Amino acid sequence: MADDLSEVLYQPEEIEARVKELAAQIDSDYAGKNVLMVGILNGAVMMMADLTRAMHEHCQMDWMAISSYGSGVASSGVVRILKDMNAPVEGRHVLVVEDIVDTGLTLSYLLDNLRSRNPASIEICAAFRKPEAVRAQNVQVKYLGFDIPSDFVVGYGLDYDGRYRNLRGLGILDPKVYSG
Ligand code: 5GP
């Protein structure tokens, strides 16, 4: 897999260290609150697993699966919920765990949906964020791993055509892989 990257952005150790810092921050912010962590499948699986195991406070884990409407590579921001959470949201402190925020449109739609269920609070944790999300300000990421360039990246849960999710670091996929 590593041969298919044009550049390694973060080594596994760097991601691990940053995730531990985020876990400590979340522990402190949500002490005694039994935060409801909602992972967005499939990309957030690695982040969720590492983050929650680095925490010392109690937390609950739940999952949503979504798919974007429409075709093409651009995010439309309108998403379809393929799998909803099992836990009720009302009155809970919810922390949405996402792999990467690009335009922020997907998360912005999801947040509106979750807010309508009356949580006590709702925040976002994302492993990576692209410049467009910073520019557009569609969503505020309270707990962020790393700001990265706008290139197409894989690893740490992020795939290309279903592959590379199990790559431990994060890298830019060499265009030769998708240009044939
Ligand atoms: P947004 O709605 O923020 O534009 O899109 C977010 C979603 O697009 C992410 O959850 C992820 O599935 C996908 N995405 C955005 N950038 C990348 C990338 O560089 N690599 C991969 N594998 N997926 C990405």
Side-chain angles (χ1 to χ4, degrees), residues 75 98-100 102-106 130 151-153 158-159:
S75 175
E98 177 64 302
D99 49 8
I100 189 166
D102 183 359
T103 61
L105 288 171
T106 305
K130 289 187 172 179
D151 309 79
F152 188 80
V153 293
L158 288 158
D159 76 311

Side-chain angles (χ1 to χ4, degrees), residues 40 43 66 68 73-77 79 98-108 130 132-133 139 148-155 157-161 163 165 170:
I40 309 304
I66 58 179
S68 292
V73 288
S75 175
S76 66
V79 300
E98 177 64 302
D99 49 8
I100 189 166
V101 189
D102 183 359
T103 61
L105 288 171
T106 305
L107 267 183
S108 147
K130 289 187 172 179
E132 182 57 29
V139 287
I148 63 168
S150 54
D151 309 79
F152 188 80
V153 293
V154 292
L158 288 158
D159 76 311
Y160 168 67
D161 205 14
R163 293 174 292 151
R165 288 193 202 278
L170 185 86

Side-chain angles (χ1 to χ4, degrees), residues 8-35:
V8 174
L9 293 178
Y10 293 102
Q11 297 289 349
E13 300 74 28
E14 295 173 276
I15 298 177
E16 187 185 342
R18 182 69 190 123
V19 169
K20 277 189 179 154
E21 289 175 357
L22 292 177
Q25 227 180 311
I26 292 166
D27 263 344
S28 151
D29 291 355
Y30 291 93
K33 290 185 173 164
N34 190 25
V35 57

